[in-house]
mmCIF file of all heavy atoms in Angstrom:
data_model
loop_
_atom_site.group_PDB
_atom_site.id
_atom_site.type_symbol
_atom_site.label_atom_id
_atom_site.label_comp_id
_atom_site.label_asym_id
_atom_site.label_seq_id
_atom_site.Cartn_x
_atom_site.Cartn_y
_atom_site.Cartn_z
ATOM 1 N N ILE E 493 82.615 83.405 107.403
ATOM 2 C CA ILE E 493 83.675 84.355 107.758
ATOM 3 C C ILE E 493 84.803 84.338 106.773
ATOM 4 O O ILE E 493 85.361 83.244 106.461
ATOM 5 C CB ILE E 493 84.238 83.996 109.180
ATOM 6 C CG1 ILE E 493 83.118 83.892 110.188
ATOM 7 C CG2 ILE E 493 85.268 85.043 109.587
ATOM 8 C CD1 ILE E 493 83.513 83.057 111.422
ATOM 9 N N ASP E 494 85.267 85.476 106.357
ATOM 10 C CA ASP E 494 86.570 85.644 105.715
ATOM 11 C C ASP E 494 87.323 86.661 106.555
ATOM 12 O O ASP E 494 87.065 87.864 106.479
ATOM 13 C CB ASP E 494 86.413 86.157 104.274
ATOM 14 C CG ASP E 494 87.746 86.007 103.506
ATOM 15 O OD1 ASP E 494 88.795 85.945 104.170
ATOM 16 O OD2 ASP E 494 87.724 86.071 102.262
ATOM 17 N N PRO E 495 88.244 86.174 107.391
ATOM 18 C CA PRO E 495 88.920 87.106 108.316
ATOM 19 C C PRO E 495 89.823 88.134 107.636
ATOM 20 O O PRO E 495 90.066 89.195 108.203
ATOM 21 C CB PRO E 495 89.736 86.183 109.216
ATOM 22 C CG PRO E 495 89.902 84.924 108.431
ATOM 23 C CD PRO E 495 88.661 84.793 107.598
ATOM 24 N N LEU E 496 90.291 87.830 106.422
ATOM 25 C CA LEU E 496 91.063 88.835 105.670
ATOM 26 C C LEU E 496 90.850 88.532 104.166
ATOM 27 O O LEU E 496 91.507 87.673 103.608
ATOM 28 C CB LEU E 496 92.554 88.758 106.031
ATOM 29 C CG LEU E 496 93.366 90.043 105.763
ATOM 30 C CD1 LEU E 496 94.770 89.906 106.365
ATOM 31 C CD2 LEU E 496 93.457 90.431 104.300
ATOM 32 N N ASP E 497 89.890 89.201 103.607
ATOM 33 C CA ASP E 497 89.602 89.041 102.196
ATOM 34 C C ASP E 497 90.501 90.033 101.411
ATOM 35 O O ASP E 497 90.518 91.228 101.719
ATOM 36 C CB ASP E 497 88.116 89.382 101.911
ATOM 37 C CG ASP E 497 87.736 89.277 100.442
ATOM 38 O OD1 ASP E 497 88.359 88.441 99.753
ATOM 39 O OD2 ASP E 497 86.831 90.008 100.030
ATOM 40 N N GLY E 498 91.217 89.507 100.456
ATOM 41 C CA GLY E 498 92.154 90.334 99.707
ATOM 42 C C GLY E 498 93.525 90.263 100.300
ATOM 43 O O GLY E 498 94.261 91.266 100.414
ATOM 44 N N THR E 499 93.951 89.040 100.690
ATOM 45 C CA THR E 499 95.275 88.883 101.256
ATOM 46 C C THR E 499 96.375 89.312 100.286
ATOM 47 O O THR E 499 97.355 89.899 100.694
ATOM 48 C CB THR E 499 95.476 87.407 101.683
ATOM 49 O OG1 THR E 499 94.501 87.036 102.632
ATOM 50 C CG2 THR E 499 96.876 87.222 102.315
ATOM 51 N N LYS E 500 96.146 89.064 98.979
ATOM 52 C CA LYS E 500 97.084 89.541 97.990
ATOM 53 C C LYS E 500 97.246 91.056 98.016
ATOM 54 O O LYS E 500 98.369 91.572 97.913
ATOM 55 C CB LYS E 500 96.691 89.078 96.597
ATOM 56 C CG LYS E 500 96.798 87.583 96.361
ATOM 57 C CD LYS E 500 96.335 87.163 94.950
ATOM 58 C CE LYS E 500 96.457 85.699 94.746
ATOM 59 N NZ LYS E 500 96.018 85.282 93.406
ATOM 60 N N GLU E 501 96.128 91.758 98.189
ATOM 61 C CA GLU E 501 96.202 93.215 98.289
ATOM 62 C C GLU E 501 97.002 93.633 99.549
ATOM 63 O O GLU E 501 97.813 94.525 99.528
ATOM 64 C CB GLU E 501 94.795 93.813 98.386
ATOM 65 C CG GLU E 501 93.873 93.413 97.248
ATOM 66 C CD GLU E 501 94.140 94.171 95.960
ATOM 67 O OE1 GLU E 501 94.844 95.188 96.010
ATOM 68 O OE2 GLU E 501 93.668 93.703 94.908
ATOM 69 N N PHE E 502 96.735 92.943 100.635
ATOM 70 C CA PHE E 502 97.367 93.200 101.919
ATOM 71 C C PHE E 502 98.884 92.969 101.804
ATOM 72 O O PHE E 502 99.678 93.818 102.217
ATOM 73 C CB PHE E 502 96.776 92.289 102.998
ATOM 74 C CG PHE E 502 97.358 92.468 104.370
ATOM 75 C CD1 PHE E 502 97.096 93.586 105.114
ATOM 76 C CD2 PHE E 502 98.222 91.496 104.896
ATOM 77 C CE1 PHE E 502 97.685 93.754 106.385
ATOM 78 C CE2 PHE E 502 98.791 91.672 106.162
ATOM 79 C CZ PHE E 502 98.477 92.786 106.884
ATOM 80 N N VAL E 503 99.280 91.833 101.226
ATOM 81 C CA VAL E 503 100.687 91.501 101.089
ATOM 82 C C VAL E 503 101.388 92.534 100.164
ATOM 83 O O VAL E 503 102.568 92.890 100.422
ATOM 84 C CB VAL E 503 100.875 90.114 100.542
ATOM 85 C CG1 VAL E 503 102.299 89.792 100.210
ATOM 86 C CG2 VAL E 503 100.351 89.079 101.591
ATOM 87 N N ALA E 504 100.665 93.005 99.168
ATOM 88 C CA ALA E 504 101.245 93.985 98.218
ATOM 89 C C ALA E 504 101.328 95.401 98.746
ATOM 90 O O ALA E 504 101.845 96.290 98.108
ATOM 91 C CB ALA E 504 100.436 93.985 96.933
ATOM 92 N N GLY E 505 100.808 95.574 99.974
ATOM 93 C CA GLY E 505 100.917 96.895 100.624
ATOM 94 C C GLY E 505 99.760 97.830 100.280
ATOM 95 O O GLY E 505 99.791 99.017 100.619
ATOM 96 N N ARG E 506 98.734 97.317 99.628
ATOM 97 C CA ARG E 506 97.561 98.158 99.299
ATOM 98 C C ARG E 506 96.542 98.111 100.436
ATOM 99 O O ARG E 506 96.598 97.261 101.305
ATOM 100 C CB ARG E 506 96.945 97.688 97.960
ATOM 101 C CG ARG E 506 97.826 97.946 96.757
ATOM 102 C CD ARG E 506 97.109 97.677 95.462
ATOM 103 N NE ARG E 506 97.022 96.251 95.174
ATOM 104 C CZ ARG E 506 97.847 95.586 94.401
ATOM 105 N NH1 ARG E 506 98.873 96.201 93.861
ATOM 106 N NH2 ARG E 506 97.664 94.300 94.181
ATOM 107 N N ASP E 507 95.580 99.056 100.347
ATOM 108 C CA ASP E 507 94.655 99.237 101.441
ATOM 109 C C ASP E 507 93.279 98.566 101.232
ATOM 110 O O ASP E 507 92.467 98.581 102.158
ATOM 111 C CB ASP E 507 94.403 100.748 101.684
ATOM 112 C CG ASP E 507 95.611 101.437 102.288
ATOM 113 O OD1 ASP E 507 96.461 100.738 102.864
ATOM 114 O OD2 ASP E 507 95.721 102.684 102.157
ATOM 115 N N GLU E 508 93.027 98.017 100.042
ATOM 116 C CA GLU E 508 91.716 97.478 99.775
ATOM 117 C C GLU E 508 91.630 96.001 100.138
ATOM 118 O O GLU E 508 91.559 95.115 99.274
ATOM 119 C CB GLU E 508 91.356 97.713 98.296
ATOM 120 C CG GLU E 508 91.064 99.204 98.027
ATOM 121 C CD GLU E 508 90.748 99.497 96.606
ATOM 122 O OE1 GLU E 508 91.178 98.702 95.729
ATOM 123 O OE2 GLU E 508 90.126 100.536 96.299
ATOM 124 N N PHE E 509 91.651 95.729 101.392
ATOM 125 C CA PHE E 509 91.376 94.417 101.947
ATOM 126 C C PHE E 509 90.284 94.554 102.989
ATOM 127 O O PHE E 509 90.061 95.648 103.536
ATOM 128 C CB PHE E 509 92.654 93.757 102.549
ATOM 129 C CG PHE E 509 93.307 94.618 103.579
ATOM 130 C CD1 PHE E 509 92.913 94.547 104.950
ATOM 131 C CD2 PHE E 509 94.318 95.507 103.272
ATOM 132 C CE1 PHE E 509 93.498 95.364 105.900
ATOM 133 C CE2 PHE E 509 94.947 96.305 104.201
ATOM 134 C CZ PHE E 509 94.522 96.218 105.524
ATOM 135 N N THR E 510 89.564 93.507 103.247
ATOM 136 C CA THR E 510 88.402 93.571 104.126
ATOM 137 C C THR E 510 88.327 92.448 105.109
ATOM 138 O O THR E 510 88.965 91.385 104.968
ATOM 139 C CB THR E 510 87.095 93.604 103.306
ATOM 140 O OG1 THR E 510 86.983 92.384 102.578
ATOM 141 C CG2 THR E 510 87.020 94.788 102.407
ATOM 142 N N VAL E 511 87.506 92.664 106.148
ATOM 143 C CA VAL E 511 87.074 91.564 107.075
ATOM 144 C C VAL E 511 85.619 91.350 106.789
ATOM 145 O O VAL E 511 84.835 92.317 106.870
ATOM 146 C CB VAL E 511 87.298 92.017 108.531
ATOM 147 C CG1 VAL E 511 86.848 90.923 109.492
ATOM 148 C CG2 VAL E 511 88.756 92.373 108.812
ATOM 149 N N ASN E 512 85.231 90.148 106.475
ATOM 150 C CA ASN E 512 83.840 89.845 106.078
ATOM 151 C C ASN E 512 83.194 88.850 107.040
ATOM 152 O O ASN E 512 83.779 87.764 107.322
ATOM 153 C CB ASN E 512 83.821 89.199 104.686
ATOM 154 C CG ASN E 512 84.455 90.043 103.648
ATOM 155 O OD1 ASN E 512 84.648 91.250 103.754
ATOM 156 N ND2 ASN E 512 84.833 89.408 102.535
ATOM 157 N N VAL E 513 82.058 89.240 107.591
ATOM 158 C CA VAL E 513 81.278 88.336 108.415
ATOM 159 C C VAL E 513 79.818 88.358 107.959
ATOM 160 O O VAL E 513 79.270 89.439 107.800
ATOM 161 C CB VAL E 513 81.344 88.728 109.955
ATOM 162 C CG1 VAL E 513 80.399 87.860 110.762
ATOM 163 C CG2 VAL E 513 82.788 88.519 110.441
ATOM 164 N N ALA E 514 79.256 87.219 107.747
ATOM 165 C CA ALA E 514 77.823 87.070 107.382
ATOM 166 C C ALA E 514 77.130 86.097 108.290
ATOM 167 O O ALA E 514 77.758 85.179 108.803
ATOM 168 C CB ALA E 514 77.700 86.627 105.916
ATOM 169 N N LEU E 515 75.863 86.363 108.507
ATOM 170 C CA LEU E 515 74.981 85.379 109.173
ATOM 171 C C LEU E 515 74.026 84.848 108.102
ATOM 172 O O LEU E 515 73.317 85.667 107.486
ATOM 173 C CB LEU E 515 74.214 86.048 110.299
ATOM 174 C CG LEU E 515 73.134 85.177 110.939
ATOM 175 C CD1 LEU E 515 73.745 83.958 111.681
ATOM 176 C CD2 LEU E 515 72.242 85.982 111.933
ATOM 177 N N VAL E 516 74.074 83.586 107.859
ATOM 178 C CA VAL E 516 73.265 82.917 106.815
ATOM 179 C C VAL E 516 72.197 82.092 107.454
ATOM 180 O O VAL E 516 72.462 81.344 108.401
ATOM 181 C CB VAL E 516 74.154 82.050 105.915
ATOM 182 C CG1 VAL E 516 73.312 81.404 104.815
ATOM 183 C CG2 VAL E 516 75.315 82.881 105.305
ATOM 184 N N THR E 517 70.963 82.286 106.985
ATOM 185 C CA THR E 517 69.842 81.483 107.498
ATOM 186 C C THR E 517 69.126 80.784 106.344
ATOM 187 O O THR E 517 68.760 81.437 105.377
ATOM 188 C CB THR E 517 68.855 82.356 108.253
ATOM 189 O OG1 THR E 517 69.467 82.840 109.493
ATOM 190 C CG2 THR E 517 67.612 81.557 108.673
ATOM 191 N N ASN E 518 69.044 79.497 106.434
ATOM 192 C CA ASN E 518 68.415 78.649 105.379
ATOM 193 C C ASN E 518 69.011 78.938 104.028
ATOM 194 O O ASN E 518 68.297 79.033 103.020
ATOM 195 C CB ASN E 518 66.902 78.905 105.368
ATOM 196 C CG ASN E 518 66.210 78.466 106.635
ATOM 197 O OD1 ASN E 518 66.606 77.479 107.254
ATOM 198 N ND2 ASN E 518 65.179 79.214 107.092
ATOM 199 N N GLY E 519 70.337 79.085 103.997
ATOM 200 C CA GLY E 519 71.072 79.266 102.752
ATOM 201 C C GLY E 519 71.130 80.660 102.195
ATOM 202 O O GLY E 519 71.799 80.894 101.180
ATOM 203 N N ILE E 520 70.495 81.626 102.852
ATOM 204 C CA ILE E 520 70.438 83.010 102.330
ATOM 205 C C ILE E 520 71.129 83.930 103.326
ATOM 206 O O ILE E 520 70.828 83.942 104.527
ATOM 207 C CB ILE E 520 68.989 83.479 102.141
ATOM 208 C CG1 ILE E 520 68.262 82.505 101.222
ATOM 209 C CG2 ILE E 520 68.963 84.913 101.625
ATOM 210 C CD1 ILE E 520 68.809 82.407 99.817
#
C-alpha cells in the first residue's frame, strides 16, 4: 500500500497524486 503516492505533488497543489494498492502473491 501507498496511501498517497506523490505527496510532493499534493503539497505543491498539483493533481497528479495517487492511492496505490496491490495484492502480491509469491513476490509477484
Side-chain angles (χ1 to χ4, degrees):
I493 307 158
D494 192 341
L496 204 173
D497 180 30
T499 301
K500 291 180 180 178
E501 305 283 344
F502 180 73
V503 171
R506 291 188 284 264
D507 290 340
E508 289 178 337
F509 55 86
T510 60
V511 180
N512 304 339
V513 173
L515 173 65
V516 180
T517 293
N518 297 325
I520 304 299

